[in-house]
Amino acid sequence: MSSTTLARHQEIAWRRGHVMATSRLVAEETAIALSYNGSTHAVMMATPDDLEDFGVGFTLTEGIVERASDIQSIDLIRSELGIEIRMWLDGDRATRLAARRRAMSGPVGCGLCGIESLEQARRPASPVPDRDTVFHARDLLGAMQALAPLQILNQQTRSVHAAAFWHPRSGIGPVREDVGRHNALDKLAGAIARRRKSACAGAVLLTSRVSVEMVQKAAMIGVPVVIAVSAPTTLAIRTAEEAGITLLAIARDDGYGVFTHPHRILLPENVAPRADC
């Protein structure tokens, strides 16, 4: 892990009634500006790692482009104030973006800061094709249990979220981490797109709660299943239902809850839902 993503800070620890001078590794948090064709579109606070993935993923999940190939070039410009992800789009995309230009400055954990209308906040999620893909319940639980050792930055700092892609044949990968849960998912979206991977037969694993923006971004990735360690909001559930996403949440060692489209999950017979549930 590079020195740009974490640093060691002195700490006075008070534990079990004892005081001790020590130090700990702390995750970095940096202002990241995303600009298109010379104009700043958004400024987010994020972990300064996997920033090409972040730029591509943000551009895709926000609907600025439909394909990663629509981004002609991407450069990282570092300064004392932060880092600019400078991207150039083709003429048509740049013109359309200029028509819907917005300035967005958001703290960590804020995925809707700076939007201009209620319609933007409640934009319909892209429908995920139903390809009759099914997943064994225990396989998905095993994937969540296997994620923690792969969260390298969080193991050292205990302060960042992770978003990962899991496929029943190839397992977990890629994994992306960030101080912001939306940023981690955007980085994952970018990593999938840049690797030209298809997400239609896998699942997104999240170490955060599931809000509507997370479901909207997952729908843009095209993933049929989202599983998270924390609970969903009511709007996240409704959006997942509309998008055709199977939403699993509150994942613990003993299982999880299936909130939408349970037909994709093969549950053990002894815990299968009754007809009247």
Side-chain angles (χ1 to χ4, degrees), residues 46-121:
T47 301
D49 197 19
D50 298 310
L51 293 182
E52 292 90 347
D53 289 343
F54 183 35
V56 172
F58 179 91
T59 307
L60 289 168
T61 65
E62 289 294 308
I64 296 170
V65 300
E66 295 177 2
R67 298 173 298 276
S69 59
D70 291 330
I71 303 173
Q72 294 181 337
S73 66
I74 180 167
D75 296 297
L76 302 182
I77 311 299
R78 300 178 185 271
S79 70
E80 293 182 359
L81 296 177
I83 304 172
E84 179 185 356
I85 305 176
R86 188 175 294 174
M87 290 168 280
W88 291 89
L89 311 179
D90 62 35
D92 289 343
R93 294 289 174 185
T95 300
R96 270 180 268 178
L97 177 60
R100 54 165 277 193
R101 178 73 61 192
R102 68 184 183 185
M104 180 171 66
S105 178
V108 169
C110 181
L112 293 176
C113 299
I115 62 173
E116 296 175 340
S117 68
L118 292 176
E119 287 77 12
Q120 285 178 298

Side-chain angles (χ1 to χ4, degrees), residues 43-234:
V43 179
M44 308 294 288
M45 301 306 296
T47 301
D49 197 19
D50 298 310
L51 293 182
E52 292 90 347
D53 289 343
F54 183 35
V56 172
F58 179 91
T59 307
L60 289 168
T61 65
E62 289 294 308
I64 296 170
V65 300
E66 295 177 2
R67 298 173 298 276
S69 59
D70 291 330
I71 303 173
Q72 294 181 337
S73 66
I74 180 167
D75 296 297
L76 302 182
I77 311 299
R78 300 178 185 271
S79 70
E80 293 182 359
L81 296 177
I83 304 172
E84 179 185 356
I85 305 176
R86 188 175 294 174
M87 290 168 280
W88 291 89
L89 311 179
D90 62 35
D92 289 343
R93 294 289 174 185
T95 300
R96 270 180 268 178
L97 177 60
R100 54 165 277 193
R101 178 73 61 192
R102 68 184 183 185
M104 180 171 66
S105 178
V108 169
C110 181
L112 293 176
C113 299
I115 62 173
E116 296 175 340
S117 68
L118 292 176
E119 287 77 12
Q120 285 178 298
R122 190 59 182 94
R123 71 178 190 270
S126 300
V128 174
D130 196 341
R131 304 178 185 273
D132 297 325
T133 304
V134 294
F135 302 85
H136 288 275
R138 289 195 178 94
D139 289 346
L140 286 163
L141 183 60
M144 287 299 291
Q145 293 169 338
L147 178 58
L150 303 178
Q151 296 173 238
I152 306 302
L153 183 57
N154 192 59
Q155 285 186 347
Q156 298 179 79
T157 65
R158 301 300 178 190
S159 63
V160 298
H161 293 291
F165 181 71
W166 173 84
H167 191 279
R169 289 196 299 272
S170 57
I172 298 176
V175 178
R176 292 294 180 264
E177 297 180 277
D178 198 278
V179 289
R181 56 196 172 92
H182 308 93
N183 301 339
L185 185 53
D186 280 336
K187 288 179 178 180
L188 177 65
I192 291 172
R194 295 178 73 207
R195 294 183 183 192
R196 298 183 180 180
K197 292 171 67 78
S198 172
C200 66
V204 161
L205 317 178
L206 301 173
T207 63
S208 63
R209 68 183 177 89
V210 188
S211 56
V212 61
E213 319 93 277
M214 302 295 276
V215 174
Q216 289 169 335
K217 289 178 181 292
M220 294 296 283
I221 295 171
V223 69
V225 174
V226 172
I227 178 169
V229 298
S230 296
T233 65
T234 56

